[in-house]
Amino acid sequence: MNTAGHSEATAHRGLELTPFRGLRYDPDRVGSLAAVTSPPYDVVVRPDGLHHLEAADPHNIVRLILPQAATPSARNEQAADTLRRWLSEGVLTTDPEPGLYVYEQRDGDGMLQRGIIGALRVSDPAEQVVLPHEDVMPHIVADRAALMRATSANLEPLLLTYRGDDATAATADLIERTAEQPPLLATTTEDGFHHRLWSVTSPGDLAAIQTGLGRHQALIADGHHRWATYRRLRTEHPSPSPWDHGLVLLIDTARYPLRVRAIHRLLHDLPVGEAVAALEGRFRVRRLEVPLPEALDALAGAAGTGNAFLLAGDGAFHLVDRPDPGLLARTIPADRPEAWRTLDATVLHATLLEHVWRIPEDSPAHIAYIHDTAATVEKAERDGGTAVLMHPVREEVVRDLARQGVTMPRKSTSFGPKPATGLVLRALDL
């Protein structure tokens, strides 16, 4: 987001993007670049998606971002050993000189996204340089921190957005010019996305990018837990150190608007029948015997007039809307902006999870967060739990709350498309 005209533009340093020597797969040492990539760690549906990726190629990046072993320490040690082995075998190689990377994603529906990957200075929230919009779960931050310590690497870039203006016109032009050149790599992943990557190493080009971005702030679109991890690890290492920076992808959403989707919940130990029964007299519930696309259309219609959710897990869908105003008044904190108090995610967490269903939101044993809609429904039906399908929040609401310093409930939004993991990594000790 642009800070021009805002008081913080003069009070704080802006985005500081630093070149780095990218760590990339040697295409001659792997079956295909597509076969070694993965979605971000928190998008991989476990265990099915994890097993699928592991089977795709023995060098799939999922072995680093989601290592499998009996204990957390064993998992992290395994990831570190795997990374060292791949480096020694030449499966992963370091680019010869530091650079920033232009990254392009394109799908078959005409969606095009381009941005810059670099090492961003890790800043404190008070600086208002990088704006979070969601709370984080401490156990996930601890898990990611342990993995980063063990591997001494940023294994996947966060997705950050800014609003381009005249100050970043040179950066925008550079991205477009670069995309006309032969890329370092090009691949098409099984989700149909085409990916291309270029390096930018010219001192003049790097300076132009850094100058333009230096007047801006960014919104975390995806990667709140990893940003919190960057901040934690920075405090553990005396500055200056490589831990002062973290790997990010910056997208100018004035030029390339992101898609905003919902993140759904899977309640492991709550059967749909019990979930619905607990809503009697508190919400309106209607059973829908329709396919998933029609059920989502019904959810979108209901969400246009108030809070609405779609429950699944018993072979049907249950549209939940029209909450009792008195219930909301008793359960939702009154010391937040109206836009926050009326969010579906706020009602879900403060009213449904905490007061109606009494499910702890930060316990992986009770609740999972899944991006894929169909996968959430399938897992609920298979495991006897309840899928809670959400309607996405508008991007303007997210930005407005972030500007006010108000964080949304955890896992409220899914911005995309997300960068593929495995195309470029950042080693902190090379």
Side-chain angles (χ1 to χ4, degrees), residues 13-27:
R13 298 150 70 183
L15 297 168
E16 296 180 31
L17 200 63
T18 301
F20 68 103
R21 293 178 65 200
L23 191 62
R24 297 188 295 110
Y25 281 98
D26 181 344

Side-chain angles (χ1 to χ4, degrees), residues 65-78:
I65 63 172
L66 290 172
Q68 300 300 295
T71 66
S73 61
R75 288 196 294 269
N76 296 328
E77 184 177 334
Q78 178 177 296

